[in-house]
Amino acid sequence: MVIPVHDVNPVRGTPWVTYALIAANVLVFLTMPGAAGSVAGGDLARLCHLQAFMDHYAAVPRELIHGSLPRLVPTGEIGIGPHGPGCVVRPPSYDKSPPLSVFTAMFLHGGWLHLLGNMLFLLIFGNNVEDRLGHIRYLLFYVVCGYAAGYGFALFNADSADPLIGASGAIAGVLGAYLVLFPKARVWVLVPFLVFLPLRLPAWLVLGFWFGLQAVYSSGHGVSGTGTVAYTAHVVGFVAGMLLAWPLKPGTPDPPEPPGLLFGRRARPHYSW
C-alpha cells in the first residue's frame, strides 16, 4: 500500500470544515474509554467501559437493518460470575437510535493507527474537495457518504452484531470525489520497496489502486479470515462520493502541471459552477 504525504493541488481558501472534522475525531478519540488516562483501573475495567461505550454509540448492522436492539448490554462495571471476573450486563438504561448511531460511529476509532491513517487521507484529499464544493455542501457530502457506507455495509452483513466504527466510509467518499474532480493532480507518495521510495504519481493511479485493493479485500481475497476492517463500507463510500461529485466534473479545471519538484501552493485557480 502506498502512503500519500502531499498533493500538488492548490486551494483558494482555508479548509475549515476539514480541519474541524480532524479536530473532532481526535478529541472524541482522546475521550473514549481505553484512551490514555480516560479510564482508571486495569485491562478488564477498560475493556468493560469500552464495550459499554461501543454498544451505546457504535453502529451495529443488525440494529440498522432489523431495528432490533439487544435486551442486555454491558454497563461498564466489573462483576464476578461462575467463570470469574467479567463485564456486568443489564437491560440498557438509554434509548439508542440506530440511524443516529451511524453518525456517532463516524467519530469513533479503534486505535491510534486507525485514527491517524484516516486523518492523513482526510487532510491530503479533503481540502480540495471542500474547496470545490464549498464548506456547507462539503459537510453534507461527508455525512451522506458516511451514511451510505454505514448502511451499505449493514446490507451485506445484516445479521452481524459487531460494532461498526470509524470515519473510513465518509473519507472513502472524499477519495471518490477527488478521483472524479482531480484525476490528473499529482500526489507525492511513499512506496515501500526495501525502503520508502518517494514518488509523484497521478491521483487516478493512487486512488484507483486504493479502491482496487478495497474491492478485492471486500470480496474476501487477499486477506486472512473476515478481519476487522469494513472494506465493503470503503467501497460503498467511494462509489457514493464519485456519483455525488460527478455533476461538478465539467466545471472543474485541471490542477497546474508542476515543473519538477513542487510543494505547497503555486496557483490559485478560479472555479466555475
Side-chain angles (χ1 to χ4, degrees):
M1 184 62 188
V2 297
I3 303 173
V5 294
H6 174 72
D7 69 329
V8 185
N9 195 1
V11 295
R12 296 172 297 173
T14 303
W16 293 115
V17 175
T18 297
Y19 291 160
L21 288 171
I22 293 174
N25 276 277
V26 173
L27 180 61
V28 170
F29 178 77
L30 292 177
T31 59
M32 283 179 58
S38 62
V39 176
D43 292 338
L44 182 57
R46 286 191 289 269
L47 176 62
C48 293
H49 278 83
L50 182 60
Q51 286 184 348
F53 185 87
M54 290 299 182
D55 274 309
H56 192 175
Y57 295 105
V60 179
R62 186 167 61 188
E63 297 174 2
L64 296 178
I65 301 302
H66 302 298
S68 58
L69 299 176
R71 294 184 299 105
L72 299 174
V73 296
T75 64
E77 303 170 329
I78 299 176
I80 306 297
H83 303 289
C87 300
V88 175
V89 294
R90 293 196 183 99
S93 59
Y94 51 82
D95 293 325
K96 180 179 181 180
S97 169
L100 182 59
S101 70
V102 178
F103 179 79
T104 56
M106 293 183 205
F107 297 90
L108 308 180
H109 290 83
W112 279 108
L113 186 61
H114 188 199
L115 172 70
L116 295 178
N118 277 345
M119 295 305 101
L120 174 64
F121 275 80
L122 181 59
L123 178 63
I124 293 174
F125 299 105
N127 59 346
N128 292 103
V129 177
E130 179 179 351
D131 195 52
R132 183 66 181 93
L133 270 64
H135 303 308
I136 302 301
R137 289 202 300 179
Y138 172 70
L139 179 59
L140 294 175
F141 166 87
Y142 182 92
V143 173
V144 168
C145 287
Y147 267 87
Y151 273 97
F153 178 83
L155 285 173
F156 287 96
N157 302 271
D159 296 322
S160 173
D162 295 331
L164 176 66
I165 61 172
S168 306
I171 295 173
V174 173
L175 303 186
Y178 194 102
L179 177 61
V180 168
L181 299 174
F182 309 105
K184 298 180 181 179
R186 301 301 181 184
V187 181
W188 280 99
V189 299
L190 297 178
V191 180
F193 184 75
L194 299 181
V195 295
F196 283 100
L197 300 177
L199 296 176
R200 189 178 64 197
L201 303 174
W204 66 263
L205 180 59
V206 176
L207 298 179
F209 178 69
W210 182 89
F211 177 73
L213 282 180
Q214 308 309 303
V216 170
Y217 292 159
S218 68
S219 67
H221 296 86
V223 291
S224 58
T226 57
T228 58
V229 180
Y231 294 110
T232 303
H234 300 174
V235 172
V236 175
F238 193 95
V239 173
M242 292 183 66
L243 294 176
L244 290 173
W246 199 266
L248 296 178
K249 173 60 179 175
T252 306
D254 293 331
E257 181 68 23
L261 301 181
L262 176 65
F263 293 91
R265 301 180 181 180
R266 180 59 69 88
R268 292 179 179 270
H270 297 282
Y271 299 135
S272 60
W273 294 92

